[in-house]
Amino acid sequence: MATEVIQVADQRDFAGAIQQAVAVLDEGGLVAFPTETVYGLAARVDRPRGMERLRSAKDRAADKAFTVHVGSREDALALVPSPSGLARRLMRKAWPGPLTLILDVDKPASLPAAADLTEEALAAMYYDGTIGLRFPGDPVAEALLRDAGAPVVAASANRGGQQAPHDAAEVLAGLEGDVDLVLDGGRTRYVKPSTITRVRGGSFEVLREGVYDAGTVGRLASLRVLFVCTGNTCRSPMAEGLAKSALSEKLGCRIDELPARGVVVHSTGAAGGFGQASGHAVTVMARRGIDIGAHRSSALDEEQIRLADHVFAMTGSHLEAILHMVPSAADRAGLLLSDKDVHDPIGGGEDDYEMCARAIEEGVRERLEEIDL
């Protein structure tokens, strides 16, 4: 059987090429496709002929699972319906991208996504109560996996023991005649493989470093909470101090140990960067045993928003500024007080700051209840 190759890097009929690949998978065929790391060899998990051919090409035993490749986070959540907060953070920050996640799944046969799958198909995805998931950062891969119509499993497009391929020519050198279709998207972006990370509850272990090293995974795994006001001299610094105090108590550690626990709390201002915490704000926080005297204001920027898992604004205008900078933050940004603004005490007396601090305290307490550590 001759292997067909479709050039998709400059393919005008991109959608047509993807649909041809989808049809091959539906018929029990094998498709080699580009990712950002290596070329993958894919089969639909519900097509026994395709799975048999994939196992043969990879010399993979029948009781060994493959990594499931998905074209969206929603597809992943159908296969792992209750990921931990840590797993969700990594999915949001690192996907699509070169990170493979190994996640726990309790009773996979009971999942709605498993309703139309055989025991053999489930065994190809789930192994020993876990599943490996990959959402590649490549437009060809994303389109193919999104349109496949059923879960797709894949491995590197080479025979066992051979080097993983980084272009279509290398795929053909090892699998010519044994793969039905190669989607040629050119040379892969990276020469390293994806990073494999095992997530269990609130902890993780890097099983194989690849494009991301362990330090990068650690930064991606951190829970980042951002508070935003105007000048970053009173409201948001008070919120930052209160949140750090509450989270350190919840985790049973000192405030300065929070980063080591993977928790980063920061505050900034839509017009900030010009001063230190106001005297009254320092005073009302000191009454609560919280020291914000060393705070220095900073100005809101896109990177702060993009890195944050949760962004809490003091007013509607602050929220507008956040979403104007990063519209995609809409699903993780909101008002600290869900039904009203936290009014600015600037220019007022100590009693005004105390009233403001109490409102912020209420908001921080409620919002932290929503955060999954």
Side-chain angles (χ1 to χ4, degrees):
M1 176 192 72
T3 296
E4 183 176 1
V5 179
I6 301 179
Q7 299 282 344
V8 288
D10 300 315
Q11 171 76 19
R12 290 186 178 181
D13 188 13
F14 180 86
I18 295 301
Q19 288 311 305
Q20 185 173 339
V22 167
V24 169
L25 293 176
D26 185 38
E27 293 167 1
L30 299 182
V31 174
F33 65 99
T35 75
E36 74 277 41
T37 57
V38 301
Y39 271 68
L41 185 61
R44 263 182 55 159
V45 76
D46 60 343
R47 296 295 185 260
R49 175 173 170 270
M51 291 303 303
E52 182 180 351
R53 292 177 62 199
L54 179 61
R55 290 190 182 280
S56 176
K58 297 298 298 182
D59 193 24
R60 185 78 60 91
D63 62 344
K64 296 296 183 182
F66 289 91
T67 299
V68 181
H69 286 56
V70 297
S72 70
R73 295 181 186 86
E74 290 71 24
D75 287 345
L77 293 175
L79 301 170
V80 186
S82 300
S84 66
L86 171 57
R88 286 180 180 274
R89 287 197 293 278
L90 289 171
M91 288 177 180
R92 184 183 70 78
K93 295 178 182 179
W95 281 1
L99 181 69
T100 298
L101 294 176
I102 309 297
L103 305 176
D104 289 330
V105 180
D106 185 34
K107 299 179 181 179
S110 66
L111 299 178
D116 297 324
L117 298 177
T118 64
E119 290 185 9
E120 291 75 14
L122 288 174
M125 298 192 297
Y126 298 94
Y127 177 75
D128 196 22
T130 68
I131 188 172
L133 291 172
R134 169 102 154 88
F135 181 3
D138 180 276
V140 177
E142 187 171 347
L144 173 65
L145 297 167
R146 185 182 59 242
D147 294 349
V152 171
V153 295
S156 57
N158 58 276
R159 296 196 181 280
Q162 295 182 348
Q163 187 172 357
H166 296 281
D167 60 33
E170 292 177 0
V171 174
L172 294 172
L175 292 173
E176 170 71 49
D178 291 321
V179 56
D180 300 281
L181 176 65
V182 178
L183 294 176
D184 184 356
R187 190 78 177 170
T188 59
R189 191 185 324 161
Y190 304 111
V191 295
K192 293 182 177 180
S194 70
T195 299
I196 301 176
T197 300
R198 174 78 165 89
V199 177
R200 177 160 283 158
S203 63
F204 71 90
E205 179 186 3
V206 176
L207 303 180
R208 182 188 74 188
E209 289 192 344
V211 176
Y212 296 147
D213 60 19
T216 299
V217 176
R219 288 188 290 274
L220 292 169
S222 294
L223 171 67
R224 293 179 177 269
V225 181
L226 179 66
F227 296 97
V228 181
C229 68
T230 302
N232 190 219
T233 60
C234 55
R235 285 172 292 178
S236 59
M238 288 194 289
E240 177 185 345
L242 288 163
K244 285 180 175 177
S245 177
L247 287 168
S248 66
E249 183 176 347
K250 187 173 185 177
L251 293 174
C253 66
R254 299 193 310 269
I255 287 176
D256 62 0
E257 294 175 331
L258 285 173
R261 296 292 191 96
V263 177
V264 178
V265 183
H266 185 51
S267 65
T268 189
F274 305 103
Q276 58 191 33
S278 68
H280 288 324
V282 173
T283 298
V284 298
M285 287 295 102
R287 288 178 187 155
R288 294 162 170 78
I290 299 171
D291 181 7
I292 63 170
H295 174 81
R296 296 296 180 270
S297 67
S298 66
L300 179 67
D301 61 39
E302 290 186 16
E303 183 178 7
Q304 292 171 326
I305 300 169
R306 293 187 190 283
L307 287 175
D309 298 284
H310 302 276
V311 186
F312 299 121
M314 297 297 143
T315 70
S317 63
H318 299 140
L319 183 57
E320 289 177 6
I322 291 163
L323 298 180
H324 178 73
M325 282 189 177
V326 184
S328 62
D331 63 342
R332 51 197 168 84
L335 292 175
L336 179 63
L337 300 180
S338 59
D339 59 346
K340 60 184 177 181
D341 291 349
V342 177
H343 296 295
D344 195 345
I346 196 76
E350 194 172 300
D351 288 346
D352 297 299
Y353 278 79
E354 178 60 35
M355 289 179 60
C356 180
R358 290 175 183 172
I360 293 171
E361 210 164 15
E362 175 188 345
V364 167
R365 182 172 58 251
E366 291 180 357
R367 290 303 194 179
L368 292 187
E369 286 296 322
E370 303 169 2
I371 294 176
D372 186 354
L373 294 174

